[in-house]
Amino acid sequence: MSTGAWSNLVEAAASCLLARDPAEKVRLTEKAAENWRAGLLDVADSEAVEPVVEPGRPERPELVHPRGLSKRSIKRLAGRAALIHAVAHIELNAINLAWDAVHRFRGLPSTYYDDWVRVAADEAYHFDLMRGRLRDLGFDYGDFPAHDGLWAMARRTAHDPLVRMALIPRVMEARGLDVTPGMIERFRSVGDEDTAARLEIILRDEVGHVAAGSRWFRHLCFERGLDPETTYFKLVDEYLHGEIRCPLNLSARLDAGFGEGELERLAALCAKQ
């Protein structure tokens, strides 16, 4: 569906989700976000819109099980490129996750859609940052295998926005807050300040993305009369068997809407792993 044919935000989100070419997905995302901010799109009222089961994907990269991804030394050019490629792949998936949050879940306040349209646009920018760096180094997106872990969790949380907000922003994406500072230091250790600077931009923005997840998770909990902390850990146990990886970036997680009590419980869980 062309940009001129969009009659509402849900149609725009579907176009972005279904786009197979990454550059086209980025272009459509930027246009949809621009139209939403300009007030040119309304959220569709119809509940009859069929959800997008699978997003459009390019033919490459090859998707493999996470254990099938080989570790490479960051001291070598190919190792650096492989790590940058992994981040680019996460960012491309994150575009789809943001648009799926828009397209799939109806009847939420307009500010919910403001948040996830903004996140989609940010993720498109992040993908371009990392793809541009790959190209600087003589590689491109698709040159290395990748895994489908983020979208696999999207499938598992497709039935309920509360579960989605708990487990995608507040677990999967929050993990990025924990590991990105270490990646930044690794790139700096081999003199790659350019990649480190791009990752700092991503880390800064991702705090806000996780905060959006925290905000809407709590909103949905309060609407349903649920205690957010109790509900969060119940879902972590149900879907992830209580597995939380260390280290935790406590200051970034605080900024992203985690409470002190949550962080203490998360730290206790990751200490057991």
Side-chain angles (χ1 to χ4, degrees):
M1 183 179 294
S2 68
T3 55
W6 294 337
S7 61
N8 56 59
L9 181 63
V10 171
E11 288 183 359
S15 292
C16 297
L17 275 166
L18 293 171
R20 295 190 64 188
D21 178 68
E24 178 70 355
K25 191 181 293 287
V26 168
R27 185 188 72 80
L28 290 172
T29 293
E30 291 171 344
K31 185 63 177 177
E34 177 185 320
N35 286 3
W36 173 254
R37 289 192 296 265
L40 301 177
L41 298 171
D42 293 321
V43 179
D45 293 327
S46 172
E47 295 290 339
V49 177
E50 286 293 322
V52 173
V53 177
E54 292 291 325
R57 301 180 186 275
E59 291 184 6
R60 299 169 66 236
E62 176 191 4
L63 295 180
V64 300
H65 192 278
R67 287 195 293 268
L69 297 174
S70 59
K71 292 187 177 181
R72 305 178 187 224
S73 171
I74 199 172
K75 294 180 181 179
R76 297 179 180 273
L77 179 62
R80 276 193 288 147
L83 184 51
I84 293 167
H85 186 278
V87 177
H89 182 69
I90 289 169
E91 300 303 328
L92 190 67
N93 273 273
I95 301 172
N96 290 330
L97 290 167
W99 282 124
D100 190 67
V102 169
H103 186 271
R104 184 175 299 278
F105 301 121
R106 225 61 51 74
L108 289 154
S110 179
T111 47
Y112 168 89
Y113 301 100
D114 286 339
D115 276 342
W116 295 108
V117 171
R118 173 182 57 82
V119 170
D122 284 351
E123 306 294 17
Y125 171 56
H126 297 168
F127 174 76
D128 269 357
L129 277 177
M130 302 317 288
R131 188 178 196 180
R133 187 60 184 142
L134 273 175
R135 287 172 165 174
D136 291 344
L137 299 176
F139 298 86
D140 201 357
Y141 180 66
D143 286 352
F144 300 90
H147 68 80
D148 195 31
L150 274 173
W151 194 256
M153 183 59 78
R155 295 186 195 102
R156 296 182 66 195
T157 59
H159 62 290
D160 188 339
L162 184 151
V163 179
R164 171 66 62 86
M165 294 297 113
L167 297 177
I168 295 287
R170 303 192 88 234
V171 173
M172 307 293 282
E173 294 184 271
R175 182 65 185 150
L177 304 183
D178 302 331
V179 302
T180 302
M183 281 198 290
I184 291 168
E185 290 308 311
R186 289 177 68 192
F187 280 106
R188 287 212 166 107
S189 74
V190 294
D192 190 344
E193 289 291 337
D194 192 330
T195 301
R198 294 175 193 228
L199 288 170
E200 285 183 332
I201 292 170
I202 291 173
L203 178 60
R204 177 201 67 199
D205 293 345
E206 293 295 342
V207 171
H209 300 174
V210 177
S214 294
R215 182 161 53 252
W216 292 108
F217 172 68
R218 289 199 171 90
H219 171 89
L220 291 162
C221 283
F222 292 140
E223 272 198 340
R224 301 181 194 185
L226 300 172
D227 176 71
E229 184 173 325
T230 301
T231 303
Y232 178 67
F233 284 95
K234 179 181 177 182
L235 292 170
V236 168
D237 185 60
E238 178 181 349
Y239 284 81
L240 300 167
H241 309 292
E243 294 181 5
I244 297 293
R245 296 180 183 177
C246 290
L248 300 176
N249 186 340
L250 298 178
S251 62
R253 282 177 176 258
L254 272 173
D255 291 342
F258 283 85
E260 294 278 4
E262 285 181 311
L263 292 177
E264 288 176 6
R265 291 178 68 174
L266 286 169
L269 281 176
C270 79
K272 294 178 181 178
Q273 308 304 319

